[in-house]
Amino acid sequence: MDIRYYGHATFELADEGTTVLIDPFLTGNPKATIAADDLNPSAILVTHGHGDHVGDVVPIAKRTGAPVLAIVELAQEFGEEDGVTAMDINIGGTVNFDWGWVKMVPAWHTSTTPKGTVNTPAGLLVNFKGTTVYHTGDTALFSDLELVGRRNPIDVALICIGGHYTMDRFDAVDAAALIGAKTVIPCHYNTFPAIETDAQAYKADVEAQTNSRVVVLEPGETHSA
Ligand code: NI
Ligand code: MN
């Protein structure tokens, strides 16, 4: 399967016509290399309600009919939109799809949508056709990151490293050690000046201090897992 990075925290998992889109933020993203109108996901997954994670959810869901999976408060807001199929979940829960399953796990952050809906932010453990991908969402470093992969070992972790709104690249090294994924792909950095960081330095630190391999993707690039 392919993991396509569209910049910021936006990823697409793709295999033979099935595509799962996570946290679409293309419109207004200065680093985006693709337009929201060019994406045709089978499902959309959302970690939390901040504008840089939900930005293009509603237009893509309306155009494609792709269901949107999000925590209950956020799913309710999406479901109020005409033509949007919302699926709810809460932290600790698992939802099955014909391509796999999604489990919602904790993240330390805050979240209110641009419309004002308060919601608890989360991470997402996604089993896509047998490959387990963990999107950390916007989180700080916390020790329970270690629990996420205990029953479901993680193939690829998508870890925020930009600092300021999330953990920085130094805390994210400890996060990678706790998560223990085979492969780490850093995200949520260099989109704006406040979150500029050195992804190659992060890669060097993680590979020196953990057993994980780091793949640094530029927006628009794909990693085959
Ligand atoms: Ni956020
Ligand atoms: Mn964010």
Side-chain angles (χ1 to χ4, degrees):
M1 59 90 108
D2 287 338
I3 300 176
R4 301 171 182 154
Y5 182 46
Y6 293 132
H8 203 58
T10 307
F11 288 89
E12 197 169 54
L13 314 180
D15 180 64
E16 293 182 350
T18 303
T19 57
V20 174
L21 180 63
I22 307 172
D23 285 3
F25 169 54
L26 295 316
T27 305
N29 174 355
K31 297 293 172 70
T33 57
I34 193 166
D37 283 348
D38 294 329
L39 296 174
N40 291 288
S42 314
I44 303 169
L45 314 177
V46 178
T47 62
H48 69 292
H50 281 150
D52 59 321
H53 298 258
V54 301
D56 292 302
V57 166
V58 168
I60 296 172
K62 284 187 176 183
R63 177 175 50 78
T64 63
V68 182
L69 180 71
I71 203 161
V72 284
E73 291 79 6
L74 200 46
Q76 182 166 354
E77 182 185 299
F78 291 138
E80 287 168 359
E81 297 275 349
D82 284 341
V84 173
T85 302
M87 302 173 68
D88 68 2
I89 187 171
N90 211 322
I91 291 171
T94 301
V95 170
N96 293 306
F97 292 85
D98 54 9
W99 42 261
W101 48 261
V102 179
K103 182 176 183 179
M104 182 164 271
V105 299
W108 261 108
H109 189 57
T110 66
S111 187
T112 303
T113 68
K115 286 185 166 180
T117 304
V118 176
N119 58 97
T120 299
L124 297 169
L125 194 61
V126 183
N127 185 280
F128 181 76
K129 300 194 176 188
T131 299
T132 301
V133 178
Y134 174 27
H135 192 306
T136 61
D138 284 1
T139 192
L141 175 63
F142 66 115
S143 58
D144 283 355
L145 291 169
E146 186 172 17
L147 296 177
V148 175
R150 187 171 287 184
R151 284 195 311 108
N152 300 285
I154 294 160
D155 294 302
V156 183
L158 315 175
I159 299 182
C160 51
I161 68 164
H164 197 92
Y165 301 111
T166 70
M167 59 187 164
D168 61 20
R169 73 173 175 89
F170 303 102
D171 281 354
V173 175
D174 281 342
L178 291 169
I179 291 165
K182 289 180 201 139
T183 302
V184 168
I185 300 175
C187 65
H188 212 281
Y189 67 97
N190 288 1
T191 318
F192 311 110
I195 61 171
E196 281 176 6
T197 198
D198 185 342
Q200 291 299 337
Y202 175 68
K203 173 182 169 72
D205 289 345
V206 170
E207 293 184 346
Q209 297 175 41
T210 79
N211 293 320
S212 299
R213 181 177 69 113
V214 177
V215 175
V216 176
L217 295 179
E218 294 298 320
E221 289 186 340
T222 293
H223 170 69
S224 295

